[in-house]
């Protein structure tokens, strides 16, 4: 019976829209048939039950509103069983306009990949696009049309918990990653293995004062355009279907009600054709900002500014119709927002087949695809950063007889998922997530004896487990310590003023280091942490972030050299909280410090070095790379010309490895001051032991341009330093060139 009803509904939709040739014509035809209330319904998004299986009871009020066309989108409805339940209600509405289903698919769906900041540390754009593609495939197979990702906010303050969700501090790297992730999520819209991307948070959320979530942002127009907007433009260039505005106010105006951001820049200058959704309740929260007095004024401010869809504040649902009747909101604004949303529903093919995403067989196949796990393991290994390896303790020899694995995170499973993982109720995390202990067991089998002690908890001051941990360490040939944050210590609403290792974990490290055994420390976290004693005294350190479903296997691969670590830091790691915000591409000032010890009447701290503990772009390998033979095709160019820079890279070690070759520029004199160094390109290459490769870069007008004081984008004649190296401070080769006057 259901099949007959479905066929009838599809035939009705086909007859209704088959006469129009283009999506634009179909949208216009449908819009003419819609009442004002039905139009406003398309701008209204509600949350549902995020359970993925089992029976659910849909709220009777929501059932009624869906059937009468008063809801256009749902979020937090998982699984084909449940999404179909909701869609069937929508198909009972007068115009049978299908619902959109959105979800926070941030770093994987069932197969969880490393947190986005960890993936950024891979500097591997193909890997990041692949992880987004797999996440989209699994989410779409579960009935999801739309993910609220990627987050492309530039973040220079690790106190802000949401750094885990982005790509770090650098505009160029962040822009490249934004493009790759949008391409990965979206593929070709309308394909059943793709979902719409939602680029967030528009805009400048990553500069929240004090690193405190939801806080204000105050910055110059030039900083906004030069540092914080480019990743959004890159995502748009990749074809991003939707944008989400941010919780913060920008220079005194909440982003949700900010016409300059949404209408002037996004929909105006950039000609964005998709739609903008509010963040959760952010339209109503403009009341708390003190920008509007009530929900009605909030709705007026948001729709006027260009926010098309209201997520969970009900401001549009209960106020827009009255505002139109009072002629405070032109119907043209409503129509524009509705058309943007309907266009995406047509592009997804939902009018032709509202149930095209709801295939239980495909759902089971994709959620259990072994190739996805394989990719998750590879991406996780690529995301690990080797911070220190004195005396080449790593990789651990496969002939090692006894290994002690100590720490509060050794046997944890769910912690490896990181914040913003999709929690599916039917998933058995004992089977879904490979713990670090299990990964080590898988690696060594019966060839080595594994010893375990927890040592301490993540938080608290209890040291009762230290004695056992020391005794276990004393029996081993090598000790591995797994410490760090809980998964919920980094993420939304997880701002922290203290970035030290929680609890007594560093005391545990000191105690184990005191045994004299070779020690390797794994640091699991969602942000840069401060661990100065460990950094100064422990011989080997791997920053393992939160790596997802295959964390244990990936870490074991790196520990034993089956994968040679190649990660590079996408954020600077501070020495102390007092340095924050800290970032590599700062201005020089009129009184720059000449060295780390100078502090008298220069821009420096009297009690601390200016430099970070670990700089942007930093990461070691089990091999070494030599840089030589830097050549520029010319040393003087016009703005219409291009310089080709080539450099020879040689793997001078004994094992194969990957190197991220980084190109930086410095514009030595400008009409506005320029950063001391800026990343302008990079290539990740793999070389066998002894192998040599020539890497080539092109420097064109785009790489030499910047925003002047009048916010004009362009070049200025003058001298440039060109630097190529292994990190922002490890510059191996340098040359200069001149951009001549036209």
């Amino acid at each position: 019976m259901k099949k007959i009803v479905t066929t009838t509904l599809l035939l009705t939709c086909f007859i209704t829209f088959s006469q129009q040739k283009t999506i634009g014509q179909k949208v216009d035809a449908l819009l003419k048939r819609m009442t004002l209330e039905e139009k406003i319904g398309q701008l209204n998004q509600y949350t549902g039950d995020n359970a993925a299986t089992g029976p659910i009871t849909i709220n009777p009020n929501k059932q009624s509103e869906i059937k009468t066309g008063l809801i256009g989108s749902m979020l937090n409805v998982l699984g084909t069983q449940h999404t179909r339940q909701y869609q069937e209600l929508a198909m009972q509405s007068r115009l049978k306009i299908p619902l959109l289903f959105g979800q926070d698919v941030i770093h994987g769906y069932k197969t969880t990949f490393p947190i986005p900041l960890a993936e950024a540390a891979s500097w591997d754009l193909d890997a990041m696009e692949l992880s987004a593609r797999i996440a989209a495939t699994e989410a779409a197979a579960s009935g999801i049309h739309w993910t609220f990702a990627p987050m492309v906010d530039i973040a220079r303050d690790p106190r802000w918990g949401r750094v885990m969700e982005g790509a770090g501090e650098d505009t160029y790297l962040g822009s490249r990653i934004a493009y790759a992730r949008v391409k990965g999520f979206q593929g070709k819209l309308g394909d059943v293995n793709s979902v719409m991307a939602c680029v967030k948070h528009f805009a400048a959320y990553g500069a929240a004062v004090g690193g405190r979530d939801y806080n204000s942002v105050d910055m110059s127009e030039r900083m906004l355009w030069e540092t914080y907007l480019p990743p959004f433009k890159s995502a748009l260039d990749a074809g991003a279907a939707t944008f989400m505005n941010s919780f913060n106010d920008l220079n005194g105006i909440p982003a949700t009600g900010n016409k300059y951001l949404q209408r002037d820049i996004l929909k105006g200058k950039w000609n964005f054709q998709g739609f903008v959704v509010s963040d959760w309740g952010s339209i109503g929260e403009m009341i708390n900002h003190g920008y509007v007095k009530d929900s009605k004024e909030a709705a007026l401010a948001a729709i006027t500014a260009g926010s098309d869809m209201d997520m969970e504040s009900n401001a549009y649902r209960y106020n827009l119709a009255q505002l139109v009747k009072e002629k405070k909101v032109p119907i043209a604004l409503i129509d524009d927002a509705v058309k943007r949303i309907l266009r995406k529903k047509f592009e997804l093919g939902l009018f032709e087949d509202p149930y095209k995403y709801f295939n239980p067989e495909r759902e089971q196949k994709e959620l259990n695809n072994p190739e996805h796990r394989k990719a998750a393991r590879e991406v996780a290994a690529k995301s690990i950063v080797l911070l220190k390896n004195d005396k080449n303790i790593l990789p651990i020899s496969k002939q090692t007889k006894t290994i002690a694995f100590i720490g509060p995170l050794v046997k944890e499973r769910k912690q490896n998922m990181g914040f913003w993982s999709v929690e599916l109720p039917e998933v058995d995390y004992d089977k879904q997530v490979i713990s670090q202990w299990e990964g080590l067991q898988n690696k060594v089998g019966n060839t080595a004896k594994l010893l375990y002690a927890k040592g301490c908890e993540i938080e608290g001051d209890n040291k009762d487990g230290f004695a056992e941990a020391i005794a276990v360490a004393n029996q081993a040939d090598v000790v591995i310590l797994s410490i760090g944050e809980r998964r919920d210590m980094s993420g939304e609403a997880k701002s922290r003023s203290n970035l030290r290792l929680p609890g007594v974990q560093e005391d545990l490290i000191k105690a184990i280091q005191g045994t004299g055994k070779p020690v390797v420390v794994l640091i699991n976290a969602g942000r840069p942490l401060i661990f100065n004693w460990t950094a100064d005294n422990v011989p080997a350190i791997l920053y393992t972030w939160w790596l997802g479903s295959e964390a244990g296997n990936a870490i074991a691969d790196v520990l034993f050299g089956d994968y040679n670590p190649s990660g590079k830091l996408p954020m600077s790691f501070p020495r102390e909280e007092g340095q924050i915000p800290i970032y590599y591409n700062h201005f020089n000032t009129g009184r720059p410090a000449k060295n780390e010890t100078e502090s008298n009447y220069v821009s420096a701290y009297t009690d601390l070095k200016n430099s970070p503990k670990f700089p942007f772009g930093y990461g070691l390998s089990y091999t070494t790379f030599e840089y030589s033979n830097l050549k520029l095709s010319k040393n003087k160019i016009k703005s219409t010309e291009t310089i080709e820079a080539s450099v020879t890279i040689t793997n001078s070690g004994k094992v194969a490895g990957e190197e991220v070759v980084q190109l930086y520029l410095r514009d030595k004199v400008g009409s506005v001051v320029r950063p001391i160094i800026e990343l302008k390109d990079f290539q990740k290459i793999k070389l066998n032991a002894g192998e040599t490769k020539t890497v080539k870069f092109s420097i064109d007008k785009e790489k030499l341009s910047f925003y002047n004081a009048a916010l004009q984008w362009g070049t200025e004649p003058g001298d440039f330093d060109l630097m190529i190296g292994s990190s922002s401070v490890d510059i191996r080769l340098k040359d200069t060139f001149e951009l001549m006057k036209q």
Side-chain angles (χ1 to χ4, degrees):
M1 182 66 181
K2 183 183 288 186
K3 195 168 186 180
I4 296 172
V5 172
T6 299
T7 303
T8 303
L9 292 174
L10 296 179
L11 183 60
T12 301
C13 291
F14 177 76
I15 292 171
T16 301
F17 298 113
S18 61
Q19 302 305 312
Q20 287 78 42
K21 293 182 179 180
T22 68
I23 286 179
Q25 291 171 325
K26 293 176 183 179
V27 169
D28 289 340
L30 179 56
L31 193 70
K32 289 177 182 178
R33 301 176 59 206
M34 297 174 72
T35 66
L36 177 59
E37 288 71 21
E38 287 170 332
K39 291 177 180 179
I40 294 170
Q42 288 302 299
L43 314 185
N44 185 32
Q45 183 180 60
Y46 283 161
T47 188
D49 184 338
N50 66 1
T53 60
I56 60 170
T57 302
I58 301 174
N59 181 291
N61 291 331
K62 286 182 182 175
Q63 288 192 47
S64 175
E65 290 187 43
I66 293 172
K67 289 179 181 179
T68 50
L70 301 183
I71 300 176
S73 175
M74 298 293 300
L75 72 158
N76 293 330
V77 182
L78 304 181
T80 57
Q81 177 185 1
H82 294 164
T83 48
R84 186 177 185 107
Q85 255 182 283
Y86 278 91
Q87 197 71 291
E88 286 175 346
L89 293 173
M91 290 301 101
Q92 297 175 46
S93 65
R94 184 177 74 91
L95 295 176
K96 299 175 176 52
I97 299 175
L99 292 169
L100 279 176
F101 294 98
Q103 183 64 30
D104 286 293
V105 184
I106 307 301
H107 53 108
Y109 188 72
K110 181 181 179 182
T111 304
T112 305
F113 284 82
I115 59 170
L117 186 62
E119 285 193 357
S122 75
W123 292 54
D124 190 321
L125 300 174
D126 290 339
M128 285 180 263
E129 183 173 342
L130 176 63
S131 78
R133 178 98 297 273
I134 290 173
T137 299
E138 292 187 358
S142 290
I144 304 301
H145 306 132
W146 180 23
T147 174
F148 303 124
M151 188 189 94
V152 303
D153 297 304
I154 297 301
R156 295 169 164 179
D157 190 334
R159 294 174 299 180
W160 190 48
R162 297 196 85 159
V163 298
M164 59 75 55
E165 206 175 333
E169 72 185 50
D170 183 67
T171 300
Y172 180 81
L173 177 62
S175 296
R176 295 284 301 274
I177 291 173
Y179 191 97
R181 297 197 76 211
V182 169
K183 285 293 186 183
F185 282 129
Q186 290 195 169
K188 181 181 178 182
L189 283 187
D191 185 284
V192 292
N193 291 320
S194 295
V195 296
M196 294 194 301
C198 185
V199 186
K200 62 185 188 185
H201 306 85
F202 200 64
Y205 191 25
V209 174
R212 201 168 74 240
D213 220 345
Y214 318 120
N215 207 6
S216 299
V217 172
D218 197 339
M219 67 170 56
S220 70
E221 284 286 293
R222 190 162 69 86
M223 181 176 286
L224 174 68
W225 279 92
E226 192 162 284
T227 301
Y228 290 88
L229 289 182
F232 290 96
K233 181 58 165 62
S234 182
L236 178 60
D237 291 343
T242 70
F243 271 57
M244 178 185 288
N245 51 43
S246 51
F247 285 117
N248 59 282
D249 68 89
L250 176 62
N251 300 333
I253 300 177
T256 308
N258 196 311
K259 177 180 177 293
Y260 176 62
L261 287 176
Q262 296 172 92
R263 291 214 182 272
D264 296 351
I265 297 175
L266 183 60
K267 296 179 177 179
K269 185 178 180 67
W270 292 354
N271 194 31
F272 174 58
Q273 296 299 306
F275 68 87
V276 179
V277 63
S278 77
D279 209 334
W280 184 289
S282 68
I283 293 179
E285 288 173 13
M286 287 193 288
I287 301 169
N288 294 338
H289 277 283
Y291 189 67
V292 294
K293 72 176 182 179
D294 55 26
S295 180
K296 186 177 181 181
E297 284 194 1
L300 174 61
I303 195 70
T304 302
S307 293
D308 300 307
M309 183 178 287
D310 177 3
M311 182 192 290
E312 272 296 312
S313 78
N314 288 304
Y316 286 179
R317 169 78 176 84
Y318 295 116
N319 296 288
L320 278 186
Q322 185 62 33
L323 287 166
V324 171
K325 291 173 185 176
E326 293 173 359
K327 300 188 182 306
K328 292 180 179 178
V329 172
I331 190 63
L333 289 187
I334 305 294
D335 286 351
D336 178 67
V338 175
K339 287 167 72 172
R340 289 171 179 272
I341 294 165
L342 292 178
R343 188 180 298 119
K344 294 307 171 190
K345 292 184 178 184
F346 274 107
E347 288 175 5
L348 290 171
L350 296 179
F351 282 97
E352 288 79 5
D353 182 359
Y355 306 112
K356 66 180 289 186
Y357 283 77
F358 310 148
N359 184 327
E361 291 181 4
R362 187 174 83 247
E363 182 177 25
Q364 287 304 308
K365 176 185 175 183
E366 296 298 349
L367 295 193
N368 297 284
N369 188 332
E371 291 301 310
H372 296 177
R373 296 297 297 244
K374 180 181 177 182
R377 181 172 180 167
E378 292 173 353
V379 175
K382 288 175 179 286
S383 301
I384 295 171
V385 182
L386 177 61
L387 295 180
K388 192 176 180 184
N389 193 23
D390 288 355
K391 299 180 181 179
N392 294 320
I393 287 178
L394 291 172
I396 297 171
S397 170
K398 293 181 179 178
Q399 279 70 53
T400 303
K401 296 302 182 184
T402 306
I403 301 170
F405 207 176
I406 295 170
L409 291 162
V410 172
K411 293 192 174 182
E412 289 286 349
R413 292 186 185 274
K414 196 171 180 180
Q415 295 296 337
N416 293 291
M417 302 290 277
F419 200 78
W420 273 131
S421 58
V422 178
E423 299 190 23
L424 304 178
E426 84 281 10
V427 170
D428 182 349
Y429 286 98
D430 287 342
K431 296 178 180 178
Q432 174 67 10
V433 184
I434 305 298
S435 72
Q436 296 170 25
W437 176 258
E438 185 180 1
L440 206 65
Q441 285 181 316
N442 292 340
K443 183 64 62 177
V444 303
N446 296 321
T447 64
K449 183 178 181 181
L450 298 184
L451 306 175
Y452 166 73
K454 189 172 187 178
C456 65
E457 301 294 338
I458 294 172
E459 291 186 287
D461 58 4
N462 191 325
K463 298 183 180 181
D464 290 349
F466 279 28
E468 180 191 11
I470 292 169
V472 165
N474 279 323
Q475 300 174 53
D477 299 313
V478 64
V479 181
I480 306 168
L481 277 157
S482 183
I483 50 87
E485 297 183 307
R486 286 195 320 271
R487 65 191 287 262
D488 61 357
M489 285 179 161
S490 288
E492 183 176 354
K494 302 296 183 290
S495 298
R496 288 177 58 190
S497 65
N498 182 342
L499 300 182
R500 312 304 166 111
L501 289 170
V504 294
Q505 292 183 91
E506 196 152 45
D507 288 338
L508 176 64
I509 296 170
K510 292 177 182 178
I512 301 304
Q513 179 70 11
T515 65
K517 298 289 185 175
V519 174
V520 179
V521 169
L522 312 177
I523 300 180
N524 309 269
R527 67 173 100 215
L529 295 179
I530 295 172
F531 45 94
N532 291 325
W533 189 94
T534 299
D536 292 339
N537 294 279
V538 172
I541 304 170
L542 289 166
Y543 215 80
T544 54
W545 313 96
W546 290 122
L547 296 176
S549 301
E550 286 287 325
N553 284 331
I555 289 171
D557 288 341
V558 170
L559 284 171
F560 286 89
D562 291 323
Y563 181 82
N564 186 349
S566 61
K568 302 280 188 178
L569 296 179
M571 286 189 76
S572 303
F573 277 45
R575 298 175 185 273
E576 304 285 346
E577 291 89 352
Q579 290 178 299
I580 298 170
I582 185 169
Y583 48 96
Y584 82 99
N585 53 345
H586 55 81
F587 299 143
N588 206 33
T589 84
R591 293 189 178 186
K594 297 176 183 177
N595 55 59
E596 291 280 36
T597 60
E598 184 183 15
S599 62
N600 195 29
Y601 296 104
V602 294
S603 181
Y605 300 103
T606 60
D607 59 348
L608 184 66
K609 294 179 180 179
N610 280 4
S611 64
K613 192 68 177 179
F614 297 102
F616 173 81
Y618 173 84
L620 303 177
S621 170
Y622 295 156
T623 190
T624 54
F625 298 95
E626 291 183 357
Y627 287 60
S628 63
N629 200 29
L630 173 60
K631 293 181 180 179
L632 302 186
S633 60
K634 57 187 76 173
N635 289 96
K636 291 186 178 184
I637 62 166
K638 298 177 182 178
S639 62
T640 55
E641 298 176 324
T642 298
I643 287 181
E644 300 294 332
S646 64
V647 61
T648 300
I649 311 295
T650 301
N651 182 342
S652 52
K654 298 179 180 180
V655 295
E658 295 168 281
E659 172 71 330
V660 180
V661 184
Q662 302 165 42
L663 181 142
Y664 295 89
L665 295 179
R666 181 182 183 185
D667 188 348
K668 299 179 78 170
V669 178
S671 61
V672 292
V673 296
R674 306 300 303 134
I676 62 168
I677 187 171
E678 293 180 279
L679 180 72
K680 289 296 183 179
D681 210 342
F682 64 89
Q683 289 187 38
K684 189 167 189 176
I685 61 172
K686 184 173 183 178
L687 297 173
N688 293 320
E691 184 180 0
T692 294
K693 183 175 183 178
T694 298
V695 176
K696 296 181 179 180
F697 297 101
S698 294
I699 299 97
D700 58 11
K701 180 179 179 180
E702 186 69 17
K703 288 186 170 70
L704 302 178
S705 295
F706 61 93
Y707 286 98
N708 63 20
L711 291 183
Q712 296 169 326
W713 177 255
T715 61
E716 293 178 357
D719 294 328
F720 289 79
D721 288 333
L722 181 147
M723 297 157 279
I724 294 180
S726 189
S727 80
S728 59
V729 299
D730 185 9
I731 300 300
R732 307 290 183 87
L733 299 168
K734 183 176 178 180
D735 205 341
T736 61
F737 64 90
E738 179 186 356
L739 178 62
M740 298 183 293
K741 293 181 180 179
Q742 291 293 90

